Amino acid sequence: MSRLPAFPVTGGCACGAVRYVLKGSPLGVYSCHCTECQSLTGSAFSLAMSVLRSDFEITKGELAIWLRTADSGAQIPQRFCPTCGVRVFTEPPGGPQSVTVRPGTLDETSWVRPVAAFWTKSAQAWTALPADTLTYETQPTDFAPVMKAWRDWTRG
Ligand SMILES: [Zn+2]
Ligand SMILES: [Zn+2]
């Protein structure tokens, strides 16, 4: 039995100015505990949902853009609502075929579960991860194991 919802599903920013539709299953969902994500979220970690660009469509409003410079020097476009400031998605440097959506912006989030955790070396000491979580001290060089863990988990 699939743990996935019936697609398409919808989401948007906090003020409602920007809405989007997700037409298919994510490729993977993970948490990132790097200090940059802590700063960007004002919290302890970020949740990230990699999706095919062709499965993701903005249906209302327009997002503003901010170019974040990563440690690698890569410029990573961050797309956020100009009214409420919620960051809706990021364009990863690795692959133009995917975008990274912030899954907390989905209207219905009960099915969203991170199967992997990145940058555990800077995770807050109190962070507890489920035992079956794939963990990486920093950034994984290969995303395939994360995608496999996600597929395995969604099959229930
Ligand atoms: Zn907004
Ligand atoms: Zn991060």
Side-chain angles (χ1 to χ4, degrees):
M1 216 192 89
S2 176
R3 286 169 159 152
L4 291 171
F7 292 98
V9 296
T10 52
C13 67
C15 77
V18 173
R19 298 287 298 159
Y20 66 80
V21 62
L22 176 64
K23 300 168 192 166
S25 173
L27 304 169
V29 178
Y30 57 92
S31 59
C32 182
H33 302 255
C34 78
T35 54
E36 189 94 25
C37 282
Q38 293 177 8
S39 160
L40 281 165
T41 58
S43 185
F45 56 86
S46 69
L47 280 183
M49 175 171 75
S50 179
V51 308
L52 284 176
R53 194 179 277 261
S54 55
D55 279 345
F56 181 74
E57 191 184 331
I58 300 291
T59 53
K60 182 190 169 201
E62 271 183 51
L63 292 166
I65 188 167
W66 170 61
L67 291 176
R68 176 173 91 77
T69 304
D71 286 348
S72 63
Q75 298 234 300
I76 305 174
Q78 312 280 318
R79 304 273 181 177
F80 63 96
C81 172
T83 304
C84 69
V86 167
R87 190 170 53 132
V88 175
F89 77 98
T90 308
E91 297 173 62
Q97 70 280 8
S98 70
V99 293
T100 307
V101 178
R102 302 295 143 190
T105 61
L106 287 162
D107 294 334
E108 214 290 299
T109 56
S110 64
W111 57 276
V112 176
R113 177 204 195 273
V115 295
F118 298 177
W119 287 93
T120 56
K121 79 172 190 181
S122 52
Q124 297 293 337
W126 47 260
T127 304
L129 298 167
D132 59 351
T133 306
L134 274 179
T135 57
Y136 298 90
E137 281 214 332
T138 60
Q139 194 82 9
T141 49
D142 181 8
F143 197 64
V146 179
M147 292 195 286
K148 183 183 184 306
W150 173 254
R151 283 195 305 274
D152 289 348
W153 183 78
T154 58
R155 287 191 192 111

